[in-house]
Amino acid sequence: NAGVMQNPRHLVRRRGQEARLRCSPMKGHSHVYWYRQLPEEGLKFMVYLQKENIIDESGMPKERFSAEFPKEGPSILRIQQVVRGDSAAYFCASSSTANTGELFFGEGSRLTVL
Amino acid sequence: GENVEQHPSTLSVQEGDSAVIKCTYSDSASNYFPWYKQELGKRPQLIIDIRSNVGEKKDQRIAVTLNKTAKHFSLHITETQPEDSAVYFCAASKLTGANNLFFGTGTRLTVIP
């Protein structure tokens, strides 16, 4: 079992560019969660998705951020027109159902905005 | 929404001593309380969790206690070792519908050899 796979691990963008972060959940998992971690801070919930559905996006900024989890392929977190404040580690986690409890995290994607 | 507070933010202990980290939560409907350990530059990993139908759970040197009435829970690490040095996060969620974990701000534990 390969675990939760995230790529790229490191991404550098200039202000105004777009960032796309990908997450493949663990095999058999259909629930995906994205979290953002600023340096020296905790994990902030952004969005929870199931296949083809956004279940809870209460933690997503209203503008420039979007997420999807298509029927085929990985979940994508997309940040348009990046600003320096978007620099952070973005962690994806997955679970097999909504009620089992444990979330399995990927290694994270570290976005640096110049 | 749920608000989880955690302290202390930093904790230094001598090797072999115990470490205690405390968290409070705001949503009385939360019923699942995991603890994650994150080493520098690594992914958060679950070390222990507790559900609201129990008050205490132990796994070797790690134990967690839960007081639902007071809405607080704690992590206890006994006989600390240098490899316990990491950032520890508590979290809370409701295991019905969405399992969004709401995390505390973390405790950086340093075990001094």
Side-chain angles (χ1 to χ4, degrees):
Chain A
N1 196 333
V4 179
M5 304 299 291
Q6 289 188 248
N7 68 83
R9 293 291 312 280
H10 300 275
L11 182 64
V12 179
R13 285 288 180 266
R14 296 189 181 280
R15 281 179 296 170
Q17 292 184 318
E18 178 179 287
R20 283 190 179 224
L21 310 176
R22 289 175 290 278
C23 170
S24 296
M26 283 181 71
K27 188 176 181 180
H29 286 191
S30 59
H31 299 251
V32 166
Y33 310 79
W34 284 94
Y35 287 83
R36 176 163 63 177
Q37 186 174 38
L38 294 170
E40 303 297 316
E41 293 191 11
L43 295 146
K44 297 290 187 186
F45 168 74
M46 298 182 74
V47 62
Y48 161 44
L49 311 102
Q50 294 180 26
K51 284 285 187 181
E52 299 185 278
N53 286 304
I54 296 174
I55 307 301
D56 184 347
E57 56 182 347
S58 58
M60 288 278 273
K62 298 297 180 196
E63 298 176 345
R64 303 187 298 108
F65 284 72
S66 62
E68 63 176 7
F69 189 16
K71 186 176 180 181
E72 301 290 338
S75 175
I76 307 280
L77 180 67
R78 182 182 178 203
I79 313 172
Q80 296 177 290
Q81 299 171 4
V82 296
V83 301
R84 290 214 172 114
D86 296 333
S87 296
Y90 292 84
F91 286 93
C92 171
S94 72
S95 67
S96 56
T97 72
N99 298 326
T100 56
E102 182 173 2
L103 299 190
F104 294 85
F105 282 84
E107 293 285 359
S109 292
R110 280 155 183 83
L111 172 65
T112 301
V113 180
L114 301 178
Chain B
E2 175 65 275
N3 181 44
V4 178
E5 295 189 356
Q6 180 173 350
H7 22 218
S9 56
T10 60
L11 179 60
S12 293
V13 299
Q14 291 289 334
E15 183 177 357
D17 287 351
S18 295
V20 180
I21 302 170
K22 298 183 178 182
C23 289
T24 61
Y25 62 99
S26 61
D27 190 343
S28 56
S30 290
N31 55 10
Y32 174 65
F33 307 94
W35 288 86
Y36 282 78
K37 176 183 180 182
Q38 186 179 30
E39 297 178 1
L40 187 63
K42 300 289 188 181
R43 73 180 81 192
Q45 290 190 293
L46 179 73
I47 56 171
I48 195 168
D49 56 15
I50 191 167
R51 294 166 196 251
S52 61
N53 56 343
V54 298
E56 184 172 356
K57 183 177 178 181
K58 190 172 181 179
D59 181 5
Q60 300 182 340
R61 297 186 296 107
I62 295 172
V64 58
T65 59
L66 170 64
N67 183 327
K68 281 224 76 177
T69 303
K71 290 192 282 199
H72 67 69
F73 55 114
S74 301
L75 178 71
H76 304 251
I77 306 174
T78 58
E79 301 171 30
T80 53
Q81 301 166 3
E83 51 265 38
D84 294 331
S85 296
V87 179
Y88 291 81
F89 292 98
C90 62
S93 79
K94 294 177 281 224
L95 285 182
T96 51
N99 186 21
N100 313 346
L101 286 178
F102 293 91
F103 285 86
T105 49
T107 297
R108 181 175 300 279
L109 173 65
T110 303
V111 179
I112 304 165

